Amino acid sequence: MKAVVCSEGKLEVADIEPPRPGPGQVLINVLRCGICGSDLHARVHCDELAELSRATGYDHFMRSDQRIVLGHEFVGEIIEYGPDCRKRWRPGTRVVALPILRHGREPHLTGLSEAAPGGYAEQVVVQESMTFPVPNGVSTDHAALTEPMAVAWHAVRRGRVSTKQTAYVIGCGPIGLAVVVMLKAAGVKTVVASDFSPRRRELATRCGADVVVDPATDAPWTAAPRKTRITRVTDVLNLGFDAMERLRRIPNLPWWYGFRLAHTLDAGPSGPVVFECVGVPGIIDDILTAAPPRSRVVVVGVCMQADTIHPAMAINKEIDLRFVLGYDPGEFRDTLHMIADGKVDPSPLITGTVGLDGVDNAFAALASPEQHAKILIDPAATATAP
């Protein structure tokens, strides 16, 4: 079959042996596959990523001297089943799947492991237990975005944003745009998106952002239409004074029970939730310095280099810092059905489509933020430019 093979940082279209489904696995015909930012990183930084992955206990991340078929955001049609499958769906059924295989007890990341070739190809193998049929009426293009939208849904869920809190999205590349979409799907009333690129700010508006900001001229923290009560550390301290003065006026009141209850219900003063979707050195520290006290910072962007923060800044502001990765099968399934039910519209993210012969050009195009967000690969197409 035809596939795009990555080796030593170069992409080439090659004829390779088609994959065979093992026990509990399914072979599908790829209809679309999205190009992810992690694919761009892996192309040139895979050896660093492999060492980092090894330190966390995963030994099978791709290496630069291997021949790897990238691609983990795909939708396809069932061709055939391997041994020991339940054969839940007929051949020809459109499906999406979590991009992970298991050989014995060894998991492999599809499109990022030599043992699990990805979706930049005419065919790909998926695990039957991790596969979901695409509901009728969902376009193939939209179904292909289930995986990146699930990443954003997981980040939003981990952010624990209430509908009344302001959410800030710093960086409006594909994952930042997906976070904007999912925040609005979660009912968050005020979403402020910030990016230097006019094109990305335009896409953020189309994705539902209530306010878009050019950080070169405006600070996102002052752009929200609804001002937060807490902008400085002294605001938190004054809340404590005000509360104690009111409570002390009531005779014989065991006021400390009020504080205990507030702790139990997590009902104390809180700032906004900030989603870091840039992934470059210095951005986390910039956010810790500028964000209001009691903010929750959710790190979604993947920074490949060593970084430096000032912990005392986060301590003095009592800022929560959370890092997120991926999603679970329930979040993946729920994302697919949110798309099917019309609660989530991923169409603003899709800015181009190429065939396998156009993947190298697509990678070059994605290096600039002014035109493209998400480029899809259609293995049956002949287009060489997005």
Side-chain angles (χ1 to χ4, degrees):
M1 69 171 184
K2 286 182 67 177
V4 176
V5 177
C6 179
S7 183
E8 301 294 349
K10 297 180 180 179
L11 300 171
E12 64 170 341
V13 180
D15 287 312
I16 65 172
E17 287 295 318
R20 303 298 305 164
Q25 297 174 353
V26 187
L27 180 66
I28 68 171
N29 182 48
V30 177
L31 298 176
R32 299 287 190 280
C33 184
I35 298 175
C36 178
S38 61
D39 296 337
L40 306 183
H41 285 304
R43 179 188 185 182
V44 294
H45 296 294
C46 60
D47 291 325
E48 299 166 52
L49 282 165
E51 290 302 320
L52 185 149
S53 296
R54 173 174 287 178
T56 65
Y58 177 69
D59 294 330
H60 306 294
F61 200 89
M62 61 182 281
R63 297 281 184 172
S64 58
D65 59 351
Q66 297 174 331
R67 290 176 59 79
I68 303 295
V69 179
L70 297 169
H72 55 273
E73 304 176 356
F74 49 78
V75 57
E77 295 175 336
I78 290 178
I79 301 174
E80 65 174 291
Y81 290 90
D84 304 327
C85 283
R86 296 185 62 183
K87 301 182 179 180
R88 294 174 170 86
W89 312 286
R90 299 178 188 175
T93 300
R94 289 186 308 153
V95 295
V96 292
L98 274 73
I100 189 166
L101 292 180
R102 189 161 64 172
H103 301 313
R105 298 293 299 176
E106 289 291 328
H108 294 269
L109 300 178
T110 303
L112 295 168
S113 167
E114 190 175 39
Y120 290 13
E122 294 176 323
Q123 298 175 355
V124 68
V125 167
V126 297
Q127 206 78 27
E128 186 187 33
S129 62
M130 296 289 189
T131 299
F132 307 90
V134 176
N136 291 334
V138 178
S139 76
T140 297
D141 283 359
H142 288 185
L145 267 65
T146 302
E147 199 277 344
M149 299 305 291
V151 171
W153 183 232
H154 175 71
V156 168
R157 293 186 71 248
R158 286 274 291 147
R160 298 290 189 265
V161 195
S162 74
T163 57
K164 295 181 180 180
Q165 276 181 299
T166 298
Y168 294 90
V169 179
I170 310 301
C172 297
I175 193 59
L177 295 173
V179 168
V180 170
V181 172
M182 287 306 198
L183 283 166
K184 299 308 292 185
V188 177
K189 293 180 181 178
T190 305
V191 177
V192 178
S194 173
D195 200 288
F196 289 103
S197 163
R199 170 62 167 159
R200 288 184 172 179
R201 293 198 300 273
E202 173 201 344
L203 291 173
T205 299
R206 290 178 56 195
C207 286
D210 300 284
V211 180
V212 294
V213 174
D214 179 357
T217 58
D218 297 294
W221 324 109
T222 59
R226 184 180 178 188
K227 303 306 178 185
T228 180
R229 292 175 62 194
I230 302 172
T231 59
R232 300 176 301 173
V233 170
T234 52
D235 294 332
V236 180
L237 299 175
N238 280 321
L239 283 173
F241 276 111
D242 294 342
M244 286 300 293
E245 286 175 0
R246 292 189 182 96
L247 291 169
R248 292 281 196 174
R249 291 174 189 157
I250 305 173
N252 302 318
L253 176 72
W255 53 265
W256 51 92
Y257 285 107
F259 281 88
R260 292 177 188 174
L261 180 62
H263 292 155
T264 300
L265 299 177
D266 194 22
S270 63
V273 182
V274 184
F275 294 87
E276 188 280 288
C277 301
V278 180
V280 298
I283 190 67
I284 295 175
D285 199 54
D286 287 347
I287 291 172
L288 296 179
T289 300
R294 290 282 184 117
S295 294
R296 181 177 302 124
V297 178
V298 183
V299 181
V300 193
V302 180
C303 180
M304 292 303 306
Q305 295 83 31
D307 202 356
T308 300
I309 67 170
H310 291 84
M313 179 66 72
I315 290 168
N316 285 337
K317 291 184 173 184
E318 206 166 42
I319 289 178
D320 289 343
L321 188 59
R322 296 185 178 183
F323 294 83
V324 299
L325 173 71
Y327 37 77
D328 62 41
E331 291 168 329
F332 192 93
R333 181 265 177 205
D334 288 347
T335 299
L336 173 62
H337 284 269
M338 290 167 75
I339 295 172
D341 294 342
K343 296 177 181 177
V344 167
D345 178 13
S347 58
L349 277 72
I350 302 171
T351 55
T353 302
V354 296
L356 293 174
D357 290 320
V359 172
D360 198 27
N361 290 335
F363 270 54
L366 288 167
S368 169
E370 293 307 324
Q371 186 174 3
H372 288 288
K374 178 67 64 177
I375 297 176
L376 300 180
I377 301 166
D378 177 355
T382 58
T384 58

